[in-house]
Amino acid sequence: NVSNLKPGSYVELKGIRVGAVQDIRIISEAEVEITAKILERELKWIRKDSTVAISNAGLVGDKFLEVTA
């Protein structure tokens, strides 16, 4: 569910903001594509086997992308 995730929402790795969501597109009824821009200096910390989850940011319902290494 990507409700309240929008362009400009942040991308976080280990509690540190490392980027921002650029675009969200509907691919099919079951799929969406999220494009994010990651700061170049932080790319070294994101491995090929990292996972990304949509997480809640506080009580207001805003969401962000959480990268787990």
Side-chain angles (χ1 to χ4, degrees):
N1 183 355
V2 295
S3 65
N4 292 332
L5 183 72
K6 54 191 172 281
S9 295
Y10 58 90
V11 178
E12 189 175 276
L13 173 68
K14 297 185 180 201
I16 299 169
R17 292 183 186 185
V18 295
V21 172
Q22 296 293 301
D23 189 36
I24 302 170
R25 290 185 329 134
I26 298 172
I27 302 299
S28 68
E29 280 190 34
E31 292 180 301
V32 293
E33 178 182 76
I34 300 168
T35 305
K37 186 171 186 173
I38 306 297
L39 297 170
E40 189 171 340
R41 69 177 184 262
E42 306 297 352
L43 286 173
K44 64 185 173 191
W45 305 113
I46 300 174
R47 301 185 319 233
K48 287 184 180 183
D49 63 345
S50 296
T51 59
V52 178
I54 299 170
S55 298
N56 288 321
L59 300 174
V60 289
D62 288 341
K63 294 189 178 176
F64 68 97
L65 294 181
E66 184 174 17
V67 180
T68 305

Coordinates of all heavy atoms in Angstrom, one line a residue:
N1 N 0.8 -1.2 0.0 CA 0.0 0.0 0.0 C 0.9 1.2 0.0 O 1.7 1.4 0.9 CB -0.9 0.0 1.2 CG -1.9 1.1 1.3 OD1 -1.8 2.0 0.4 ND2 -2.8 1.1 2.3
V2 N 0.8 2.1 -1.0 CA 1.6 3.3 -1.1 C 0.9 4.5 -0.8 O 1.4 5.6 -1.1 CB 2.3 3.4 -2.5 CG1 3.2 2.2 -2.8 CG2 1.2 3.5 -3.6
S3 N -0.3 4.4 -0.2 CA -1.0 5.7 0.2 C -0.2 6.5 1.1 O 0.5 5.9 2.0 CB -2.4 5.3 0.8 OG -2.2 4.7 2.0
N4 N -0.2 7.8 0.9 CA 0.6 8.7 1.7 C 2.1 8.7 1.4 O 2.9 9.3 2.1 CB 0.4 8.6 3.2 CG -1.0 9.1 3.6 OD1 -1.6 9.9 2.9 ND2 -1.6 8.5 4.6
L5 N 2.5 7.8 0.5 CA 3.9 7.9 0.0 C 3.9 8.8 -1.3 O 3.0 8.5 -2.1 CB 4.5 6.5 -0.4 CG 5.9 6.5 -0.9 CD1 6.8 6.7 0.3 CD2 6.2 5.1 -1.5
K6 N 4.7 9.7 -1.4 CA 4.6 10.7 -2.5 C 6.0 11.1 -2.9 O 7.0 11.0 -2.2 CB 3.7 11.9 -2.1 CG 4.2 12.6 -0.9 CD 3.1 13.6 -0.4 CE 3.4 14.1 0.9 NZ 3.1 13.3 2.1
P7 N 6.1 11.7 -4.1 CA 7.4 12.3 -4.5 C 7.9 13.3 -3.5 O 7.1 14.1 -3.0 CB 7.1 12.9 -5.9 CG 6.0 12.1 -6.4 CD 5.1 11.8 -5.2
G8 N 9.1 13.2 -3.1 CA 9.6 14.0 -2.0 C 9.7 13.3 -0.7 O 10.4 13.7 0.2
S9 N 9.0 12.2 -0.5 CA 9.1 11.4 0.7 C 10.6 10.9 0.8 O 11.2 10.6 -0.2 CB 8.2 10.2 0.7 OG 6.8 10.6 0.7
Y10 N 11.1 10.8 2.0 CA 12.5 10.4 2.1 C 12.7 8.9 2.1 O 11.9 8.1 2.3 CB 13.1 11.1 3.4 CG 12.4 10.7 4.7 CD1 12.9 9.7 5.4 CD2 11.4 11.5 5.2 CE1 12.3 9.3 6.6 CE2 10.8 11.2 6.4 CZ 11.3 10.1 7.1 OH 10.7 9.8 8.3
V11 N 14.0 8.6 1.8 CA 14.5 7.3 1.8 C 15.5 7.2 3.0 O 16.4 8.1 3.1 CB 15.3 6.9 0.5 CG1 15.8 5.5 0.6 CG2 14.3 7.1 -0.7
E12 N 15.4 6.2 3.8 CA 16.2 6.1 5.0 C 17.0 4.8 5.1 O 16.5 3.8 4.7 CB 15.2 6.2 6.2 CG 15.9 6.4 7.6 CD 14.9 6.6 8.7 OE1 14.4 7.7 8.9 OE2 14.5 5.6 9.3
L13 N 18.2 4.9 5.6 CA 19.1 3.7 5.8 C 19.6 3.8 7.2 O 20.3 4.8 7.5 CB 20.2 3.6 4.8 CG 21.2 2.6 5.0 CD1 20.6 1.2 4.7 CD2 22.4 2.7 4.0
K14 N 19.3 2.9 8.1 CA 19.8 2.9 9.5 C 19.5 4.2 10.2 O 20.3 4.7 10.9 CB 21.3 2.6 9.5 CG 21.6 1.2 9.0 CD 23.1 0.9 9.2 CE 23.3 -0.5 8.6 NZ 24.5 -1.1 9.1
G15 N 18.3 4.7 9.9 CA 17.8 6.0 10.6 C 18.4 7.2 10.0 O 18.1 8.3 10.5
I16 N 19.1 7.1 8.9 CA 19.7 8.3 8.3 C 19.1 8.5 6.9 O 18.9 7.6 6.1 CB 21.2 8.2 8.1 CG1 21.9 8.0 9.5 CG2 21.9 9.3 7.4 CD1 23.3 7.5 9.4
R17 N 18.7 9.8 6.6 CA 18.1 10.1 5.3 C 19.2 10.0 4.2 O 20.2 10.8 4.3 CB 17.4 11.4 5.3 CG 16.2 11.4 6.2 CD 15.4 12.7 6.2 NE 14.3 12.6 7.2 CZ 13.5 13.5 7.4 NH1 13.5 14.6 6.7 NH2 12.5 13.3 8.3
V18 N 19.0 9.2 3.2 CA 20.0 9.0 2.2 C 19.4 9.3 0.8 O 20.1 9.2 -0.2 CB 20.5 7.6 2.2 CG1 21.3 7.3 3.5 CG2 19.5 6.5 2.0
G19 N 18.2 9.8 0.7 CA 17.6 10.0 -0.6 C 16.1 10.4 -0.5 O 15.6 10.7 0.6
A20 N 15.5 10.5 -1.7 CA 14.1 10.9 -1.7 C 13.4 10.2 -2.9 O 14.0 9.8 -3.9 CB 14.0 12.4 -2.0
V21 N 12.1 9.9 -2.7 CA 11.3 9.4 -3.7 C 11.1 10.4 -4.9 O 10.8 11.5 -4.6 CB 9.9 9.0 -3.2 CG1 8.9 8.5 -4.3 CG2 10.0 7.9 -2.1
Q22 N 11.3 9.9 -6.1 CA 11.2 10.8 -7.3 C 9.9 10.6 -8.0 O 9.3 11.6 -8.4 CB 12.3 10.5 -8.3 CG 13.7 10.8 -7.7 CD 13.9 12.3 -7.5 OE1 13.8 13.0 -8.4 NE2 14.2 12.6 -6.3
D23 N 9.4 9.4 -8.1 CA 8.2 9.1 -8.9 C 7.5 7.8 -8.4 O 8.2 6.9 -7.9 CB 8.6 9.0 -10.4 CG 7.4 8.9 -11.3 OD1 6.4 9.6 -11.0 OD2 7.5 8.2 -12.3
I24 N 6.2 7.8 -8.6 CA 5.4 6.5 -8.3 C 4.5 6.3 -9.5 O 3.7 7.2 -9.8 CB 4.6 6.7 -7.0 CG1 5.6 7.0 -5.8 CG2 3.8 5.4 -6.7 CD1 4.8 7.4 -4.6
R25 N 4.6 5.1 -10.1 CA 3.8 4.8 -11.2 C 3.0 3.5 -11.0 O 3.6 2.5 -10.4 CB 4.6 4.5 -12.5 CG 5.2 5.8 -13.0 CD 6.0 5.5 -14.3 NE 6.6 4.2 -14.5 CZ 6.4 3.4 -15.6 NH1 5.8 3.9 -16.6 NH2 7.0 2.3 -15.6
I26 N 1.8 3.4 -11.4 CA 1.0 2.1 -11.4 C 1.4 1.3 -12.6 O 1.3 1.7 -13.7 CB -0.5 2.4 -11.4 CG1 -0.9 3.2 -10.2 CG2 -1.3 1.1 -11.5 CD1 -2.3 3.7 -10.2
I27 N 1.9 0.1 -12.3 CA 2.3 -0.9 -13.4 C 1.1 -1.8 -13.8 O 0.9 -2.0 -14.9 CB 3.5 -1.7 -12.9 CG1 4.7 -0.8 -12.6 CG2 3.9 -2.7 -14.0 CD1 5.2 0.1 -13.7
S28 N 0.4 -2.3 -12.8 CA -0.8 -3.1 -13.0 C -1.6 -3.0 -11.7 O -1.3 -2.3 -10.8 CB -0.3 -4.6 -13.2 OG 0.2 -5.1 -12.0
E29 N -2.7 -3.8 -11.6 CA -3.5 -3.8 -10.4 C -2.8 -4.2 -9.2 O -3.1 -3.7 -8.1 CB -4.7 -4.7 -10.6 CG -5.8 -4.1 -11.5 CD -7.1 -4.9 -11.4 OE1 -7.4 -5.5 -10.4 OE2 -7.8 -4.9 -12.4
A30 N -1.8 -5.0 -9.3 CA -1.0 -5.6 -8.2 C 0.4 -5.0 -8.0 O 1.0 -5.3 -7.0 CB -0.9 -7.1 -8.3
E31 N 0.8 -4.1 -8.9 CA 2.2 -3.6 -8.9 C 2.3 -2.1 -9.0 O 1.5 -1.5 -9.8 CB 3.0 -4.2 -10.0 CG 3.3 -5.7 -9.8 CD 4.1 -6.2 -11.0 OE1 3.7 -6.0 -12.2 OE2 5.2 -6.7 -10.7
V32 N 3.2 -1.5 -8.3 CA 3.6 -0.1 -8.5 C 5.1 0.0 -8.6 O 5.8 -0.9 -8.1 CB 3.1 0.8 -7.4 CG1 1.6 0.9 -7.3 CG2 3.7 0.4 -6.0
E33 N 5.6 1.0 -9.3 CA 7.0 1.2 -9.5 C 7.3 2.5 -8.8 O 6.8 3.5 -9.0 CB 7.4 1.3 -10.9 CG 8.8 1.5 -11.2 CD 9.1 1.6 -12.6 OE1 8.8 2.7 -13.2 OE2 9.7 0.6 -13.2
I34 N 8.3 2.4 -7.8 CA 8.7 3.6 -7.1 C 10.2 3.9 -7.5 O 11.0 3.0 -7.5 CB 8.7 3.3 -5.6 CG1 7.2 3.0 -5.2 CG2 9.2 4.5 -4.8 CD1 7.1 2.4 -3.8
T35 N 10.4 5.1 -8.0 CA 11.7 5.5 -8.3 C 12.2 6.5 -7.3 O 11.5 7.4 -6.9 CB 11.7 6.3 -9.7 OG1 11.1 5.4 -10.7 CG2 13.1 6.6 -10.1
A36 N 13.5 6.2 -6.8 CA 14.0 7.0 -5.7 C 15.4 7.5 -6.2 O 16.1 6.8 -6.9 CB 14.1 6.3 -4.4
K37 N 15.8 8.6 -5.7 CA 17.2 9.1 -5.9 C 17.9 9.0 -4.6 O 17.5 9.5 -3.6 CB 17.1 10.6 -6.4 CG 18.4 11.1 -6.8 CD 18.3 12.5 -7.5 CE 19.6 12.9 -8.0 NZ 19.5 14.2 -8.8
I38 N 19.1 8.3 -4.7 CA 19.9 8.1 -3.5 C 21.2 9.0 -3.7 O 21.8 9.1 -4.7 CB 20.4 6.7 -3.4 CG1 19.1 5.7 -3.4 CG2 21.2 6.4 -2.1 CD1 18.2 5.9 -2.3
L39 N 21.6 9.6 -2.6 CA 22.8 10.4 -2.6 C 24.0 9.6 -3.0 O 24.2 8.5 -2.4 CB 23.0 11.1 -1.2 CG 22.0 12.0 -0.7 CD1 22.2 12.4 0.7 CD2 22.0 13.3 -1.6
E40 N 24.8 10.0 -3.9 CA 25.9 9.2 -4.4 C 26.8 8.8 -3.3 O 27.3 7.6 -3.3 CB 26.7 10.0 -5.5 CG 27.7 9.2 -6.2 CD 28.3 9.9 -7.4 OE1 27.7 10.9 -7.9 OE2 29.3 9.5 -7.8
R41 N 27.1 9.6 -2.4 CA 28.0 9.3 -1.3 C 27.5 8.2 -0.4 O 28.2 7.6 0.4 CB 28.4 10.5 -0.5 CG 27.3 11.1 0.4 CD 27.7 12.3 1.2 NE 26.7 12.7 2.1 CZ 25.9 13.7 1.8 NH1 26.0 14.4 0.7 NH2 24.9 14.1 2.7
E42 N 26.2 7.9 -0.4 CA 25.6 6.9 0.4 C 25.4 5.5 -0.3 O 25.1 4.5 0.3 CB 24.2 7.4 0.9 CG 24.3 8.7 1.7 CD 25.1 8.7 2.9 OE1 25.6 7.7 3.4 OE2 25.3 9.8 3.5
L43 N 25.6 5.5 -1.6 CA 25.4 4.3 -2.4 C 26.3 3.1 -1.9 O 25.9 2.0 -2.0 CB 25.6 4.5 -3.9 CG 24.6 5.3 -4.6 CD1 25.0 5.6 -6.0 CD2 23.2 4.6 -4.6
K44 N 27.5 3.4 -1.4 CA 28.4 2.4 -1.0 C 27.8 1.5 0.2 O 28.2 0.4 0.4 CB 29.7 3.0 -0.5 CG 29.6 3.9 0.7 CD 30.9 4.5 1.0 CE 30.8 5.6 2.1 NZ 31.9 6.4 2.3
W45 N 26.8 2.0 0.9 CA 26.2 1.3 2.0 C 25.0 0.4 1.6 O 24.6 -0.3 2.4 CB 25.8 2.3 3.1 CG 26.8 3.2 3.5 CD1 26.9 4.6 3.3 CD2 28.0 2.9 4.3 NE1 28.1 5.1 3.9 CE2 28.8 4.0 4.5 CE3 28.5 1.7 4.8 CZ2 30.0 4.0 5.1 CZ3 29.7 1.7 5.4 CH2 30.4 2.9 5.6
I46 N 24.6 0.6 0.4 CA 23.4 -0.2 -0.1 C 23.9 -1.3 -0.9 O 24.5 -1.1 -2.0 CB 22.4 0.7 -0.8 CG1 21.9 1.8 0.1 CG2 21.3 -0.1 -1.4 CD1 21.1 2.8 -0.6
R47 N 23.8 -2.6 -0.4 CA 24.3 -3.7 -1.1 C 23.2 -4.3 -2.1 O 22.0 -3.9 -2.0 CB 24.6 -4.8 -0.1 CG 25.7 -4.3 0.9 CD 26.1 -5.5 1.8 NE 25.0 -6.3 2.3 CZ 24.8 -6.6 3.5 NH1 25.5 -6.1 4.5 NH2 23.8 -7.4 3.8
K48 N 23.6 -5.2 -2.9 CA 22.7 -5.8 -3.9 C 21.6 -6.6 -3.2 O 20.5 -6.7 -3.8 CB 23.5 -6.7 -4.9 CG 24.3 -5.9 -5.9 CD 25.0 -6.9 -6.9 CE 25.8 -6.0 -7.8 NZ 26.4 -6.9 -8.9
D49 N 21.9 -7.1 -2.1 CA 20.9 -7.9 -1.4 C 20.0 -7.1 -0.4 O 19.3 -7.7 0.4 CB 21.5 -9.2 -0.7 CG 22.5 -8.8 0.4 OD1 22.9 -7.6 0.5 OD2 22.8 -9.7 1.2
S50 N 20.2 -5.8 -0.4 CA 19.4 -5.0 0.5 C 17.9 -5.1 0.1 O 17.5 -5.3 -1.0 CB 19.8 -3.5 0.4 OG 21.1 -3.3 0.8
T51 N 17.0 -4.8 1.1 CA 15.6 -4.8 0.8 C 15.0 -3.4 1.1 O 15.6 -2.7 1.9 CB 14.9 -5.9 1.7 OG1 15.1 -5.6 3.1 CG2 15.3 -7.3 1.4
V52 N 13.9 -3.1 0.6 CA 13.2 -1.8 0.8 C 11.8 -2.1 1.2 O 11.1 -2.9 0.7 CB 13.2 -1.0 -0.5 CG1 12.5 0.3 -0.3 CG2 14.6 -0.7 -1.0
A53 N 11.4 -1.4 2.3 CA 10.0 -1.5 2.8 C 9.4 -0.1 2.9 O 10.1 0.9 3.0 CB 10.0 -2.1 4.1
I54 N 8.1 0.0 2.8 CA 7.4 1.3 3.0 C 7.0 1.3 4.5 O 6.4 0.4 5.0 CB 6.1 1.3 2.1 CG1 6.5 1.3 0.7 CG2 5.4 2.6 2.4 CD1 5.4 1.1 -0.3
S55 N 7.5 2.3 5.2 CA 7.3 2.5 6.6 C 6.5 3.7 7.0 O 6.5 4.7 6.2 CB 8.6 2.5 7.4 OG 9.4 1.3 7.2
N56 N 5.9 3.8 8.1 CA 5.2 5.0 8.6 C 6.1 5.9 9.3 O 7.0 5.5 10.1 CB 4.1 4.6 9.6 CG 3.0 3.9 8.9 OD1 2.6 4.2 7.8 ND2 2.4 2.8 9.5
A57 N 5.9 7.2 9.0 CA 6.7 8.3 9.7 C 5.8 9.0 10.6 O 5.1 10.0 10.3 CB 7.2 9.2 8.6
G58 N 5.8 8.6 11.9 CA 5.0 9.3 12.9 C 3.5 8.9 12.9 O 3.1 8.0 12.2
L59 N 2.8 9.8 13.5 CA 1.3 9.5 13.7 C 0.5 10.1 12.6 O -0.7 9.7 12.5 CB 0.9 10.1 15.0 CG 1.6 9.6 16.3 CD1 1.1 10.3 17.5 CD2 1.3 8.1 16.4
V60 N 1.0 11.0 11.8 CA 0.2 11.7 10.8 C -0.1 10.8 9.5 O -0.9 11.2 8.7 CB 0.8 13.0 10.3 CG1 0.6 14.0 11.4 CG2 2.2 12.9 9.9
G61 N 0.6 9.7 9.4 CA 0.3 8.8 8.3 C 1.2 8.9 7.1 O 1.1 8.2 6.1
D62 N 2.2 9.9 7.2 CA 3.1 10.0 6.1 C 4.0 8.7 6.0 O 4.2 8.1 7.1 CB 4.0 11.2 6.3 CG 3.3 12.5 6.0 OD1 2.2 12.5 5.3 OD2 3.8 13.6 6.5
K63 N 4.5 8.4 4.9 CA 5.3 7.2 4.7 C 6.6 7.5 4.1 O 6.8 8.6 3.5 CB 4.6 6.2 3.9 CG 3.3 5.7 4.6 CD 2.7 4.5 3.9 CE 1.5 4.0 4.7 NZ 0.8 3.0 4.0
F64 N 7.6 6.6 4.2 CA 8.9 6.8 3.7 C 9.4 5.4 3.3 O 8.9 4.4 3.7 CB 9.9 7.5 4.6 CG 10.2 6.7 5.9 CD1 11.4 5.9 5.9 CD2 9.4 6.7 7.0 CE1 11.7 5.2 7.1 CE2 9.7 6.0 8.1 CZ 10.8 5.2 8.2
L65 N 10.5 5.4 2.5 CA 11.1 4.1 2.1 C 12.3 3.8 3.1 O 13.1 4.7 3.3 CB 11.7 4.2 0.7 CG 10.7 4.3 -0.4 CD1 11.4 4.3 -1.7 CD2 9.7 3.2 -0.4
E66 N 12.3 2.6 3.6 CA 13.3 2.2 4.6 C 14.1 1.1 3.9 O 13.6 0.0 3.6 CB 12.6 1.7 5.9 CG 13.6 1.3 6.9 CD 12.9 0.9 8.2 OE1 11.7 0.7 8.2 OE2 13.6 0.9 9.2
V67 N 15.4 1.3 3.7 CA 16.3 0.4 3.1 C 17.0 -0.4 4.3 O 17.5 0.2 5.2 CB 17.4 1.1 2.3 CG1 18.4 0.1 1.7 CG2 16.8 2.0 1.2
T68 N 17.0 -1.7 4.2 CA 17.6 -2.6 5.2 C 18.8 -3.3 4.5 O 18.5 -4.0 3.5 CB 16.6 -3.6 5.7 OG1 15.5 -2.8 6.3 CG2 17.2 -4.4 6.8
A69 N 19.9 -3.2 5.0 CA 21.1 -3.9 4.4 C 21.2 -5.3 4.9 O 20.6 -5.7 5.9 CB 22.4 -3.1 4.8

